[in-house]
Amino acid sequence: MASAHVSDPLTALREFVERITPYDPDPAATVGTVGIDHGHESGEFRLTPHLARALVEALASYRDPADRGTCAGCGGRRLDDNLHCQDCGRLHGVLGAVIFERAERISEQAERVQWAAGTDAERPLG
Ligand SMILES: [Zn+2]
């Protein structure tokens, strides 16, 4: 499994190549090489079109465990475990959306109250 090779990318790549090779429709074709130099060990593998496509798909489908999406408020990518944006403070997820919606309603009500009481010079738009 991938988690067994967290600190050993060379072994992970070697096992990936071994898993992919039996299904390569043109194992003699070569488009280049891919290698890893990992401290005391290094390895280089001949890159067939099939292996190249498999590597690209594997890399493209990888999702970092810390990736919790993009903040709808500021576009930041630093959302914590509670989907709380570390950049602008906005909450996400179902609970975050409910809290955000209620906060907006309370803010709008407060603006209307200020306007009705004449404490704000400008009338809120909308
Ligand atoms: Zn944000």
Side-chain angles (χ1 to χ4, degrees):
M1 299 305 298
S3 60
H5 305 298
V6 168
S7 61
D8 188 358
L10 181 58
T11 299
L13 180 58
R14 183 179 296 121
E15 290 180 4
F16 182 81
V17 171
E18 288 171 4
R19 279 196 334 260
I20 301 302
T21 300
Y23 308 105
D24 196 330
D26 191 6
T30 301
V31 295
T33 58
V34 61
I36 291 182
D37 183 359
H38 183 62
H40 61 284
E41 274 193 291
S42 64
E44 193 170 273
F45 303 88
R46 191 172 49 81
L47 203 53
T48 67
H50 184 75
L51 178 57
R53 185 174 46 256
L55 276 172
V56 168
E57 288 180 17
L59 291 171
S61 66
Y62 174 77
R63 183 170 177 159
D64 196 287
D67 182 357
R68 295 174 188 92
T70 303
C71 175
C74 71
R77 299 190 57 105
R78 299 186 325 123
L79 302 180
D80 68 13
D81 289 341
N82 298 315
L83 302 179
H84 181 224
C85 180
Q86 299 300 295
D87 296 320
C88 73
R90 183 169 176 170
L91 288 171
H92 294 75
V94 174
L95 180 60
V98 169
I99 292 171
F100 183 76
E101 191 177 294
R102 290 210 177 203
E104 277 193 331
R105 253 190 267 145
I106 290 169
S107 177
E108 288 170 8
Q109 288 171 350
E111 285 180 26
R112 274 190 240 122
V113 167
Q114 281 182 335
W115 180 79
T119 56
D120 193 352
E122 288 186 35
R123 181 182 180 167
L125 300 174

